[in-house]
Amino acid sequence: MSSFTGVSIVEDHEGCSCNTSAVDPGTDIGYHLFMVKGYSRTKELLSIGESINTGPFIVGGHDWLIEYYPNGAYPSCANFISLYVSLFHDDEKLDARVSFSLVDQVERQTPMYIHATNRACRFDNDVSWGTNKFLTREALERSAHLKGDSFTIRCDIMVRKDHNTEDAGGHGTKVLLSDIDQHFNILLQTKVGADVTFEVSGEMFTAHRCVLAARSKVFMTQLFGPMKEDITTSGVIHVKDMRASVFMALLRFIYTDSCPEIEKDYMEEEEMSQVLEEEQEDGTVEDDENWLQWLQDLFVAADMYDVEQLKRICEMRLSDNLILSSVMSTLALAEQHHCQGLKEACLKFIQVQPPWCLQTVTMSDGWDHVVSTYPSVIKEIFFKLASNQRK
């Protein structure tokens, strides 16, 4: 169980300051809360590449600190909030997994991390792990997470290091942290014992029926229900109208409860585990649109196979990355798959656009589809826009 290690508070009284309260220093799995009070002030006072750091807090016997960049760590991510975590004056090398989330999301039944390491990262005194693009400032400012110009970030750290403790009888006991997700990922990669094959867009994927059925009611019905023999007589299940990369991401999440591909700025482990300056932009507008289309497809796949946690994560990422050219197609998906949270995010995004941007929305491919398929949604859009006139 993850232990609470304290809270750090950034306040805007006569400039920016940070007060830290740390508790429970002996845990190997801990989370730290970082509260930003007076967010607007921190955004005004700090430039690109400037951060506020928490005081040290302890997880696994090591001191850690969090770096908060309200205007991005680098010019290539100036529209984003950047976050990093690092060891504080500690020369020991160790492996740890880190995740950042908005605390409102952790309070739900199923935590949905915005950014998390898929593997344990190597930390020492010179190496940090973080995300340049935790959340766009625009998405934060129009979300419910910003309350009274304040929001709270949760940082979870799991130190992957064995240590000896004593039980009640005074006997030494080895405490091992769970790495079940790594074991299941190896099972997926090596295909040992795989007993079902899928063909998706001309590519073959082998998997384990029991794992799929345990994680998805749809797979349970498909693989062990009354129709299982008819479906698997040929030995291959054909999945239509889905990209191979989307199905692979779905499988990875089913096996590991993680989907690093869902992040636009996803990097390999060695890149992710270091703070490296990126001078060039991560992608063009076309790249962003392609990524959003892929994310929409993954959202549909998660709904199709009833992988609810992955669907909610996709909903969150789509809500945080709405753009004019694709907001209507995202709105259509939200309506089709009965996703009220995503629908409200799309409507609010359209509502706050200046009039000259609305023409781009009405000229997008998704507009005609929504008009013809979901005319009631168009009425809701006009109602939102009309409410702007009454203010």
Side-chain angles (χ1 to χ4, degrees), residues 177-249:
L177 300 178
S178 174
D179 53 4
I180 190 172
D181 56 336
Q182 291 192 31
H183 292 165
F184 272 87
N185 188 44
I186 292 172
L187 194 65
L188 175 63
Q189 298 300 324
T190 61
K191 306 175 184 178
V192 173
D195 55 1
V196 62
T197 301
F198 298 87
E199 182 184 6
V200 188
S201 297
E203 294 189 31
M204 296 295 185
F205 298 89
T206 56
H208 305 78
R209 297 174 190 234
C210 289
V211 175
L212 300 181
R215 297 278 282 166
S216 163
K217 294 179 182 178
V218 174
F219 276 127
M220 174 68 81
T221 301
Q222 186 178 37
L223 299 173
F224 294 99
M227 301 296 292
K228 69 179 188 307
E229 291 186 4
D230 293 338
I231 293 173
T232 60
T233 298
S234 64
V236 177
I237 298 176
H238 301 276
V239 179
K240 298 179 180 179
D241 301 323
M242 187 178 296
R243 299 191 214 183
S245 61
V246 170
F247 190 77
M248 185 66 244

Side-chain angles (χ1 to χ4, degrees), residues 337-357:
H337 296 275
H338 311 291
C339 192
Q340 188 62 29
L342 182 57
K343 177 181 177 179
E344 288 298 324
C346 291
L347 292 174
K348 188 173 182 180
F349 176 83
I350 295 171
Q351 182 182 12
V352 300
Q353 298 304 314
W356 58 268
C357 287

Side-chain angles (χ1 to χ4, degrees), residues 2-219:
S2 184
S3 300
F4 177 53
T5 66
V7 59
S8 298
I9 303 176
V10 168
E11 297 177 298
D12 62 348
H13 304 307
E14 298 179 356
C16 296
S17 62
C18 182
N19 302 312
T20 297
S21 170
V23 297
D24 199 3
T27 181
D28 279 328
I29 308 177
Y31 68 92
H32 191 79
L33 298 182
F34 180 38
M35 180 182 294
V36 178
K37 299 179 70 175
Y39 157 73
S40 300
R41 182 72 168 162
T42 66
K43 184 176 65 172
E44 292 172 4
L45 290 177
L46 298 179
S47 302
I48 297 171
E50 294 183 340
S51 68
I52 303 173
N53 300 341
T54 66
F57 57 91
I58 303 174
V59 177
H62 297 272
D63 288 329
W64 304 82
L65 59 81
I66 300 169
E67 302 168 30
Y68 159 66
Y69 298 81
N71 291 297
Y74 306 109
S76 59
C77 52
N79 295 324
F80 289 79
I81 291 171
S82 300
L83 295 170
Y84 288 96
V85 65
S86 61
L87 287 169
F88 180 73
H89 297 318
D90 194 328
D91 294 330
E92 182 177 349
K93 293 184 184 336
L94 58 91
D95 292 331
R97 294 190 180 204
V98 177
S99 62
F100 292 111
S101 57
L102 289 167
V103 73
D104 294 358
Q105 293 158 343
V106 181
E107 291 173 353
R108 301 180 187 181
Q109 283 188 340
T110 304
M112 296 187 302
Y113 295 129
I114 287 185
H115 274 268
T117 54
N118 189 42
R119 309 178 183 91
C121 291
R122 176 59 53 92
F123 286 86
D124 61 33
N125 200 31
D126 298 320
V127 177
S128 302
W129 178 84
T131 169
N132 290 338
K133 298 182 177 181
F134 173 72
L135 183 68
T136 65
R137 288 194 303 278
E138 180 185 0
L140 173 66
E141 290 164 10
R142 58 182 171 80
S143 74
H145 304 296
L146 188 64
K147 302 172 183 177
D149 204 34
S150 301
F151 68 98
T152 302
I153 295 165
R154 170 169 165 161
C155 176
D156 285 76
I157 300 176
M158 182 175 72
V159 179
R160 300 192 60 80
K161 185 179 70 172
D162 300 343
H163 68 280
N164 290 318
T165 62
E166 288 191 355
D167 58 24
H171 302 291
T173 303
K174 199 81 163 180
V175 178
L176 300 176
L177 300 178
S178 174
D179 53 4
I180 190 172
D181 56 336
Q182 291 192 31
H183 292 165
F184 272 87
N185 188 44
I186 292 172
L187 194 65
L188 175 63
Q189 298 300 324
T190 61
K191 306 175 184 178
V192 173
D195 55 1
V196 62
T197 301
F198 298 87
E199 182 184 6
V200 188
S201 297
E203 294 189 31
M204 296 295 185
F205 298 89
T206 56
H208 305 78
R209 297 174 190 234
C210 289
V211 175
L212 300 181
R215 297 278 282 166
S216 163
K217 294 179 182 178
V218 174
F219 276 127

